[in-house]
């Protein structure tokens, strides 16, 4: 009877919500791929002790209920609604809003979801009716705030396993370092270093949880990886068996790391500094490049670029190092700002603030490495940052929720140099002109829109030596699409795409789980493309290598230690920003 009453209330409230939405503005349905992306973006901050915050106007909760709800919130909701529930890609869920809605309304909303993107947590089986009731009460209480992360906190986690003076003075192994791949083993908190020549695992290295990216130092000697729990590991590629030499935790949740690359009239800064950005607390840290000793912390809290309202939780998304100046380019998600951080004097940082659009996420360089193309995903735009002039060159309208990874550069047969992004929210691929000199009419405009397999794309890739453009779709709800990739002939884009059945080629067990195919990555020579076939941690996964010239299967890499492989980065291509 209780469940029937809930369904009855749901019918009334959902009708009311629909009418209310129509009265305000039409809301486009959200693709299942987008829902999967938002719902899967859990926050490691959930395990951090926090204060039990009580709102006397909210329904009562026991301490046990509050702690259980807090855990669910950080696993399921924080990625979309923010740690402080101020709203990010999802709506704000602060008590001034939720108390007025009431428990019954919130229960229906959580249970059944909405066309605007809220997953149907109860009817999908993710949460029980009791958990939905608990969450409806939880969001009416004050959001508990995680602790800050200070210089003292950073230094307490800083470890140097091998001091610089004790490291090799020359390369002590026979590996072709440029063709080594760093592959994230998401759920084990490790990376696998894999020899791209022999396809053998060199070493499995302990890192933070769910390493988000791997970055190579300017010289190519060091590999830096950052876990979503804020842990940065520094790996010396010259050791007989490459391994950790230093580590630090720069925050409680993080995504991005890079190293200084500039060498010019202001000095030689190659390999001298490392920068890492945190989701929580909202800040970035600059460290010594040879030991990860923390030198400087800079907060990113501030005003948004559009309404110019204060935001307490502007997360640091992508970071890259300029090739034109001693600068790091720091993209701040919620405020929509790009910070040009001049590191020539760490004790007197000069920061140029550029405003583009919310919510800045990932991106990559154009082929000249002058223009950084950054996706403002919920604004459906790409900001073009001129690293030479320190200015915003353009804001480009693209498809729904651009998610390029680093994007893809190639020469379009008609429009010259272009940079490409796929999208989470629709099936399109946007090609943006990037040559304001020889192709001025097409510069920083969408010159062509390709049709892909479907929404749910995360990464797109090409290579200067390749005639192909690859796009994955790992979050598409159709297994045939999520387990394959689309390949385009750059010289004949109008003919559409060829589908490569990557998961089928992997030859995993029929009950092998999702087998999502993710992140095409070229080898050093640009004649192979590697894909991760990503299944659950209790299922077999694999890496699949494709011959770029023939589009035929070349190799399958299987090993019991390859557990939940997601991102993988070729050392040479990462070092030189080749994509």
């Amino acid at each position: 009877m209780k469940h029937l009453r809930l369904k009855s209330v749901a019918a009334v409230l959902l009708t009311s919500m629909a009418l209310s939405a129509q009265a305000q503005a039409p809301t486009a349905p959200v693709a299942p791929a987008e829902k999967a992306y938002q719902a899967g973006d859990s926050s490691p901050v959930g395990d951090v002790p926090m204060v039990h915050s009580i709102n006397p106007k909210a329904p009562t909760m026991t301490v046990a209920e509050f702690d259980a709800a807090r855990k669910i919130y950080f696993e399921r909701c924080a990625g979309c609604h923010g740690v402080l529930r101020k709203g990010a890609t999802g709506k704000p869920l602060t008590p001034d809003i939720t108390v007025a809605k009431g428990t019954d309304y919130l229960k229906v909303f959580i249970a059944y979801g909405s066309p605007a993107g809220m997953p149907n947590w109860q009817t999908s089986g993710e949460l029980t009716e009791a958990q939905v009731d608990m969450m409806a009460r939880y969001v009416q209480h004050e959001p508990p705030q995680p602790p800050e992360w200070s210089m003292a906190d950073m230094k307490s986690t800083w470890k140097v396993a091998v001091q610089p003076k004790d490291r090799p003075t020359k390369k002590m192994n026979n590996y072709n370092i440029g063709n080594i791949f760093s592959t994230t083993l998401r759920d084990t908190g490790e990376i696998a270093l894999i020899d791209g020549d022999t396809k053998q695992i060199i070493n499995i290295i302990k890192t933070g949880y769910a390493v988000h990216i791997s970055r190579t130092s300017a010289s190519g000697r060091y590999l830096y990886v950052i876990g979503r729990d804020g842990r940065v590991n520094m790996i010396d590629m010259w050791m007989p068996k490459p391994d950790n030499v230093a580590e630090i935790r720069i925050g409680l949740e993080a995504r991005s790391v890079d190293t200084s690359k500039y060498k010019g009239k202001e000095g030689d800064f190659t390999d001298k500094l490392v920068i890492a950005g945190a989701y929580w607390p909202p800040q970035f840290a600059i460290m010594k490049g040879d030991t990860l000793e923390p030198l400087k912390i800079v907060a990113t809290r501030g005003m948004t670029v559009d309404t110019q309202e204060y935001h307490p939780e502007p997360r640091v998304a992508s970071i890259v190092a300029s090739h034109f100046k001693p600068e790091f380019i720091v993209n701040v998600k919620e405020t929509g700002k790009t910070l040009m951080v001049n590191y020539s004097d760490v004790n007197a940082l000069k920061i140029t603030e550029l405003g583009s659009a919310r919510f800045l996420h990932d991106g990559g360089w154009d082929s000249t490495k002058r223009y950084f193309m950054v996706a403002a995903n919920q604004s459906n735009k790409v900001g073009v940052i001129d690293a030479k002039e320190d200015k915003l060159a353009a804001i480009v309208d693209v498809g729904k929720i651009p998610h390029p990874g680093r994007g893809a550069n190639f020469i379009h047969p008609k429009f010259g140099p272009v940079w490409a992004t796929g999208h989470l929210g629709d099936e399109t691929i946007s090609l943006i002109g990037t040559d304001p000199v020889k192709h001025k009419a097409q510069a920083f405009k969408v010159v062509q829109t390709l049709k892909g397999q479907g929404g749910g794309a995360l990464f797109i890739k090409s290579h200067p030596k390749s005639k192909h453009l690859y796009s994955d779709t790992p979050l598409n709800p159709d297994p045939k699409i999520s387990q394959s990739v689309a390949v385009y002939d750059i010289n004949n884009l109008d003919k559409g795409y060829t589908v490569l059945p990557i998961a089928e080629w992997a030859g995993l067990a029929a009950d092998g789980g999702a087998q999502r195919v993710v992140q095409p990555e070229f080898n050093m020579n640009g004649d192979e493309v590697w894909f991760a076939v990503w299944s659950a941690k209790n299922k077999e996964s694999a890496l699949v290598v494709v011959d770029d010239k023939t589009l035929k299967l070349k190799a399958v890499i299987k090993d019991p230690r390859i557990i939940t492989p997601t991102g993988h980065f070729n050392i040479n291509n990462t070092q030189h920003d080749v994509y």
Side-chain angles (χ1 to χ4, degrees):
M1 290 297 293
K2 185 177 179 182
H3 185 62
L4 291 174
R5 284 198 302 272
L6 177 60
K7 291 181 70 175
S8 178
V9 172
V12 175
L13 288 180
L14 287 172
T15 301
S16 173
M17 288 154 54
L19 291 172
S20 175
Q22 290 173 7
Q24 295 174 26
T27 302
V30 170
E34 182 188 347
K35 289 188 179 183
Y37 178 74
Q38 301 295 0
D41 197 17
S42 63
S43 169
V45 180
D47 293 329
V48 177
M50 301 181 204
V51 176
H52 182 184
S53 301
I54 295 296
N55 179 3
K57 296 180 180 180
T60 58
M61 298 187 78
T62 66
V63 172
E65 284 180 320
F66 190 89
D67 287 342
R70 180 172 67 86
K71 188 174 190 304
I72 291 173
Y73 179 83
F74 280 98
E75 288 177 347
R76 307 289 192 182
C77 319
C80 194
H81 296 282
V83 168
L84 301 181
R85 308 209 303 258
K86 294 286 187 180
T89 50
K91 300 292 185 183
L93 293 175
T94 47
D96 58 310
I97 298 170
T98 54
V99 170
K101 296 292 185 184
T103 302
D104 286 340
Y105 178 98
L106 295 167
K107 283 168 63 175
V108 170
F109 203 74
I110 296 168
Y112 291 89
S114 79
M118 178 75 173
N120 53 323
W121 292 111
Q122 183 178 323
T123 55
S124 67
E126 296 285 344
L127 297 179
T128 66
E129 185 174 344
Q131 287 174 319
V132 167
D133 175 77
M134 183 173 66
M135 294 307 297
R137 289 179 286 133
Y138 172 77
V139 296
Q140 296 177 69
H141 287 268
E142 295 293 333
Q145 180 167 320
E148 300 297 317
W149 197 254
S150 67
M151 180 63 73
D153 293 317
M154 287 188 195
K155 287 188 174 180
S156 72
T157 67
W158 174 46
K159 302 173 184 175
V160 181
V162 183
Q163 293 290 342
K165 64 181 179 63
D166 298 323
R167 297 173 195 166
T169 57
K170 62 180 181 180
K171 182 170 172 279
M172 300 295 290
N173 58 61
N174 294 321
Y175 298 118
N176 176 11
I177 291 177
N179 204 34
I180 291 175
F181 287 76
S182 172
T183 297
T184 297
L185 306 180
R186 185 185 188 277
D187 292 331
T188 62
E190 298 170 323
I191 63 162
L193 293 182
I194 303 176
D195 188 331
D197 294 342
T198 66
K199 312 299 187 290
Q200 299 297 310
I201 293 176
I202 297 169
N203 199 8
I204 302 289
I205 300 175
K206 278 292 179 185
T207 62
Y209 165 72
V211 162
H212 197 67
I213 59 171
S214 299
R215 287 289 181 264
T216 311
S217 66
S219 69
R221 172 170 182 175
Y222 293 110
L223 178 69
Y224 301 86
V225 302
I226 188 165
R228 287 178 54 177
D229 56 2
R231 181 175 166 184
V232 179
N233 288 82
M234 178 182 179
I235 298 160
D236 187 353
M237 303 300 293
W238 281 10
M239 297 172 70
K241 179 184 286 188
D243 209 338
N244 282 319
V245 292
E247 68 175 62
I248 193 172
R249 193 174 185 191
I250 60 93
L252 298 173
E253 184 175 0
R255 295 295 190 280
S256 195
V257 66
D258 210 340
T259 70
S260 53
K261 297 181 178 179
Y262 178 76
K263 182 179 182 181
K265 61 181 180 180
E266 291 92 342
D268 183 358
F269 294 94
T270 53
D271 292 13
K272 296 293 176 57
L273 297 171
V274 176
I275 183 173
Y279 265 29
W280 187 269
Q283 61 192 34
F284 61 86
I286 297 176
M287 299 154 279
K288 287 185 178 180
D290 59 350
T291 64
L292 297 181
E293 179 183 356
L295 302 173
K296 188 86 169 180
I297 302 172
V298 179
T300 54
R301 292 177 170 103
M303 316 307 282
T304 62
V305 295
D306 43 16
T307 58
Q308 298 194 44
E309 295 176 273
Y310 177 75
H311 200 294
E313 193 190 337
R315 298 173 285 183
V316 177
S318 51
I319 301 176
V320 292
S322 173
H323 299 266
F324 287 88
K325 297 179 181 181
E327 287 183 339
F328 292 121
I329 300 174
V330 179
N331 295 284
V332 186
K333 186 184 289 281
E334 278 75 15
T335 55
K337 294 177 181 178
T338 297
L339 308 179
M340 315 296 284
V341 181
N342 187 300
Y343 54 72
S344 56
D345 184 350
V346 174
N347 294 316
L349 289 178
K350 297 177 182 178
I351 300 178
T352 301
E353 179 186 295
L354 305 177
S356 52
R358 302 166 73 190
F359 293 76
L360 298 181
H361 193 59
D362 56 350
W365 293 107
D366 79 308
S367 59
T368 69
K369 301 178 181 62
R370 172 174 175 172
Y371 300 100
F372 185 68
M373 318 288 287
V374 58
N377 52 21
Q378 291 298 318
S379 297
N380 303 327
K381 301 177 186 296
V382 169
V384 182
I385 306 300
D386 185 342
K388 185 176 182 180
E389 300 293 337
D390 277 9
K391 67 180 183 180
L392 178 69
I395 300 177
V396 186
D397 290 316
V398 292
K400 187 175 181 183
I401 314 181
H403 195 291
R406 289 168 289 175
N409 289 298
F410 61 91
I411 305 299
H412 192 283
K414 181 177 180 181
F415 301 115
V418 297
W419 178 88
T421 180
H423 300 87
L424 265 165
D426 65 33
E427 62 188 6
T428 67
I429 294 171
S430 297
L431 309 185
I432 300 172
T434 59
D435 182 4
V437 178
K438 295 182 180 180
H439 298 82
K440 188 174 181 180
Q442 289 80 37
F444 312 130
K445 298 175 183 177
V446 174
V447 297
Q448 186 173 358
T449 300
L450 307 179
K451 182 179 180 181
Q453 288 200 86
L458 290 182
F459 299 99
I460 191 166
K461 194 62 62 71
S462 190
H463 190 280
K465 295 182 180 179
S466 173
K467 68 173 185 177
H468 294 124
L469 174 69
Y470 296 81
S471 176
D472 67 14
T473 42
L475 294 184
N476 195 284
D478 184 344
K480 290 183 179 179
I481 297 176
S482 67
Q483 295 179 1
S484 61
V485 297
V487 188
Y488 300 81
D489 181 344
I490 288 171
N491 295 316
N492 191 4
L493 293 168
D494 292 333
K495 78 173 184 180
Y497 54 82
T498 298
V499 176
L500 302 186
I502 302 297
E504 179 183 321
W505 287 349
L508 301 177
D511 62 346
Q515 299 184 24
R516 294 185 178 93
V517 175
V518 64
Q519 194 163 346
E521 178 78 351
F522 277 83
N523 66 342
M524 181 179 178
N525 292 331
D527 56 10
E528 293 178 355
V529 190
W530 291 42
F531 300 89
V533 183
W534 169 26
S535 284
K537 61 183 177 181
N538 62 341
K539 302 289 184 179
E540 186 182 28
S541 291
L543 301 175
V544 171
V545 182
V546 173
D547 186 309
D548 178 60
K549 298 294 188 294
T550 64
L551 300 183
K552 302 295 184 182
L553 175 65
K554 189 168 185 178
V556 177
I557 303 172
K558 294 181 181 180
D559 190 289
R561 296 171 292 173
I562 297 179
I563 299 170
T564 58
T566 50
H568 44 280
F569 302 84
N570 174 268
I571 295 293
N572 176 79
N573 295 343
T574 302
Q575 176 187 357
H576 298 290
D577 296 310
V578 178
Y579 33 84

